[in-house]
Amino acid sequence: MLTVDTAGIIEQANEAARLLLAGAAAGVPLARVAPAWLSRAHLEVCAGRRVDQRARGPVGGPVFEAHPVHAGRDRVTWWLVDVDDHQRAVEELRAEREWTAFMVEASVELQSSLNLERCLETTACLAARRLADAALVVMPLDPRQYAIVSCDPRGEVSREHTSVDPRTLPGLAEALQGFPPAPTRWVEPAEAPGWVLRDLGGEVGGEVGGEVGSVAVTALPGHGLATGALVLLRRTRAGFSEAEKVFAPLFTAWAGAAISVARLYAEQAAIAETLMAELLPPTAPPLEGVELAARYRPAGDSERVGGDFYDVHPVGGSGRESLVVLGDVSGKGLEAAVLTGRIRNILRALVPLADDHHRVLELLNGALLTHGDPTSFVTLVLASIERRADQVAVRLTSAGHPPPLILRNDGRVEPVHAVGTLIGLVEHITSVTESVLLAPGETCLLYSDGIVEARGGPLGDEFFGEERLCEQLRQCAGMPPEALADRVQMLACQWVGAGEHDDMAVVAITAPREPSHHRVLP
């Protein structure tokens, strides 16, 4: 800071001014110690001839900007600002703001999805956009297979699962160890294998008329797992800048964590899907000389499995009959589905004994009492089916289950009184097996209590009931089994409306009208 009178004599100079302008002191002419541009600007300001009163010029080497402030009518105070330092500060602030914006963008994009492929693609694209000219994300799938997602300078993404040797790229094997994370390693392009430069090297070099200048390998640390590695390709040979040294580790840590979480989610989803496939109602296989349709609807709209189930075994017992099982376990949702899966596995093992329904039920009851929850139980109906000339013989045994219904061609509906004890609560069970014959076009309907106990109607508190079900079935004589199963389920759902309901399962077994016509409709 300098205060100078209109005659050009310095009246005051602070310490910084005295250090900058050698000899500057009170009583010394400004022209003697200051550069010509500053002396000239002072005269013009005092004479009122300078519109833009600021002045700029070098002092020694650095460029300064001088800002005048009138201190009365006969003196001017000049404030000198180092433009280079100011510009550097502005540039540093701008760069820091850009990095901060980039980290916010990276955080939002990486945390917005649990999709593993999207996380890998996002990491490669963000890295190519900010840390390099092109980037690859390498993630191990098994000891020999790797997922490689790359982003080129144009932002185009490519993906592949391939077999590579990480030892061919210096530093990659260490980066893939996961934890502790290896430091970034800079590699000469000549040391990089073809699979690194194959897609990206020519494009990077093509844009600048040369080759890839440098390659960096850095770890993507996960939660103690080998998440992967990030390979950066640059046109220049320079390493990380000071700002990159600060923000690059933050980015790789966030990206590694996001990929690790997405991969864990993908693995858990795959496991859940595999287990779910075992719990879902099966696609029924063809049965010789019988038409069959099955429908299932879980209690919750968002659920896929529940406590009701059905199974179809083309060969049961001695092999003369097919076996159809429809059951309903206690409870709802996933816990009921787990119990359902256990019961289905036990029954699958007991299929060779299907000639004796009571024996099958006894063995299932014993298994549940020995290894099951004391409060868990299941109701069942077993149907052994055999084609006899143009008719179908059905042996039915119910274990605490709603009675099967026979729909005759003339519209009559006959309940089958195959009563029995529910399974899984008492040590000794009883069961009664009934046999029926189905003429061509007649149907045996098996259903769970979710149909007859569907609560709804005009006031919303009335059961659909067996009587109403029979009334509706009388109008369905001669219907194909798929249409009949659909109608029964539709009627129960309409009765419930938007209210809550239990799991619903329906199986329709029909004697075909044509002897050679047989099919199964899931």
Side-chain angles (χ1 to χ4, degrees), residues 80-254:
L80 276 67
V81 179
D82 188 332
V83 175
D84 290 345
D85 284 348
H86 177 72
Q87 189 63 31
R88 281 193 296 271
V90 170
E91 289 297 324
E92 289 174 0
L93 179 60
R94 181 188 58 79
E96 186 171 340
R97 285 176 175 172
E98 288 180 356
W99 275 108
T100 301
F102 169 71
M103 296 306 294
V104 171
E105 178 188 8
S107 175
V108 171
E109 291 194 26
L110 288 169
Q111 297 179 18
S112 63
S113 174
L114 287 174
N115 182 282
L116 180 58
E117 291 295 329
R118 182 175 177 182
C119 281
L120 294 174
E121 178 181 328
T122 299
T123 299
C125 290
L126 289 171
R129 189 186 313 162
R130 188 67 187 179
L131 293 172
D133 296 296
L136 300 88
V137 177
V138 182
M139 185 185 73
L141 300 175
D142 57 48
R144 296 183 179 180
Q145 287 288 317
Y146 294 84
I148 300 178
V149 178
S150 58
C151 181
D152 68 16
R154 296 172 298 183
E156 295 183 0
V157 177
S158 62
R159 309 170 190 82
E160 63 175 329
H161 290 182
T162 185
S163 176
V164 297
D165 185 353
R167 295 172 296 181
T168 59
L169 178 61
L172 181 58
E174 293 81 358
L176 290 173
Q177 289 177 355
F179 191 85
T184 299
R185 180 166 177 176
W186 291 92
V187 180
E188 289 293 331
E191 298 181 77
W195 63 266
V196 173
L197 304 176
R198 180 183 59 214
D199 298 326
L200 305 177
E203 187 64 37
V204 174
E207 289 195 0
V208 296
E211 299 298 328
V212 176
S214 57
V215 179
V217 182
T218 186
L220 293 171
H223 300 289
L225 301 173
T227 296
L230 179 64
V231 182
L232 305 174
L233 284 80
R234 291 183 163 191
R235 302 186 186 103
T236 65
R237 296 181 62 83
F240 282 148
S241 66
E242 292 302 317
E244 288 171 337
K245 290 178 181 179
V246 173
F247 289 99
L250 291 176
F251 170 74
T252 55
W254 287 1

Side-chain angles (χ1 to χ4, degrees), residues 389-415:
D390 62 344
Q391 295 183 315
V392 172
V394 185
R395 288 192 303 115
L396 295 158
T397 303
S398 176
H401 203 79
L405 299 175
I406 307 300
L407 177 58
R408 299 299 184 183
N409 286 324
D410 59 4
R412 287 178 296 122
V413 178
E414 302 172 357

Side-chain angles (χ1 to χ4, degrees), residues 455-463 468 494-497:
R455 189 184 294 272
L459 300 179
D461 60 351
E462 185 180 355
F463 284 140
R468 186 174 283 105
Q494 286 179 340
W495 185 258
V496 170

Side-chain angles (χ1 to χ4, degrees), residues 199-495:
D199 298 326
L200 305 177
E203 187 64 37
V204 174
E207 289 195 0
V208 296
E211 299 298 328
V212 176
S214 57
V215 179
V217 182
T218 186
L220 293 171
H223 300 289
L225 301 173
T227 296
L230 179 64
V231 182
L232 305 174
L233 284 80
R234 291 183 163 191
R235 302 186 186 103
T236 65
R237 296 181 62 83
F240 282 148
S241 66
E242 292 302 317
E244 288 171 337
K245 290 178 181 179
V246 173
F247 289 99
L250 291 176
F251 170 74
T252 55
W254 287 1
I259 294 172
S260 179
V261 170
R263 184 170 188 176
L264 182 61
Y265 176 80
E267 291 174 352
Q268 291 177 341
I271 292 172
E273 191 67 25
T274 301
L275 296 176
M276 184 70 71
E278 288 296 315
L279 299 178
L280 290 173
T283 299
L287 299 184
E288 183 66 29
V290 178
E291 292 183 357
L292 186 146
R295 299 293 183 266
Y296 172 74
R297 180 178 178 180
D301 292 337
S302 61
E303 296 174 353
R304 299 174 61 191
V305 296
D308 287 6
F309 68 94
Y310 63 83
D311 271 309
V312 179
H313 305 281
V315 178
S318 60
R320 298 190 309 272
E321 299 173 316
S322 302
L323 178 67
V324 175
V325 181
L326 187 143
D328 180 7
V329 306
S330 57
K332 296 180 182 180
L334 186 58
E335 290 184 1
V338 171
L339 178 58
T340 295
R342 187 184 308 159
I343 292 172
R344 288 175 62 192
N345 286 334
I346 296 172
L347 287 171
R348 193 174 292 119
L350 296 177
V351 166
L353 305 177
D355 289 342
D356 188 345
H357 287 186
H358 184 76
R359 181 59 176 159
V360 170
L361 295 176
E362 279 187 328
L363 292 172
L364 175 61
N365 188 65
L368 292 183
L369 289 176
T370 303
H371 303 289
D373 186 329
T375 62
S376 299
F377 60 89
V378 60
T379 66
L380 288 170
V381 60
L382 306 180
S384 291
I385 308 165
E386 181 181 7
R387 181 65 181 262
R388 295 179 183 175
D390 62 344
Q391 295 183 315
V392 172
V394 185
R395 288 192 303 115
L396 295 158
T397 303
S398 176
H401 203 79
L405 299 175
I406 307 300
L407 177 58
R408 299 299 184 183
N409 286 324
D410 59 4
R412 287 178 296 122
V413 178
E414 302 172 357
V416 178
H417 300 289
V419 296
T421 311
L422 54 80
I423 306 300
L425 285 185
V426 297
E427 185 174 352
H428 299 288
I429 64 168
T430 61
S431 67
V432 175
T433 301
E434 293 285 343
S435 297
V436 297
L437 283 175
L438 302 178
E442 295 181 337
T443 297
C444 174
L445 184 72
L446 313 180
Y447 57 94
S448 65
D449 60 8
I451 299 294
V452 293
E453 293 182 3
R455 189 184 294 272
L459 300 179
D461 60 351
E462 185 180 355
F463 284 140
F464 185 66
E466 184 179 333
E467 183 178 347
R468 186 174 283 105
L469 174 61
C470 291
E471 289 177 1
Q472 293 292 333
L473 288 178
R474 293 187 186 100
Q475 305 171 31
C476 301
M479 246 186 207
E482 64 272 19
L484 182 60
D486 282 336
R487 179 161 180 77
V488 170
Q489 189 178 77
M490 180 193 69
L491 289 170
C493 291
Q494 286 179 340
W495 185 258

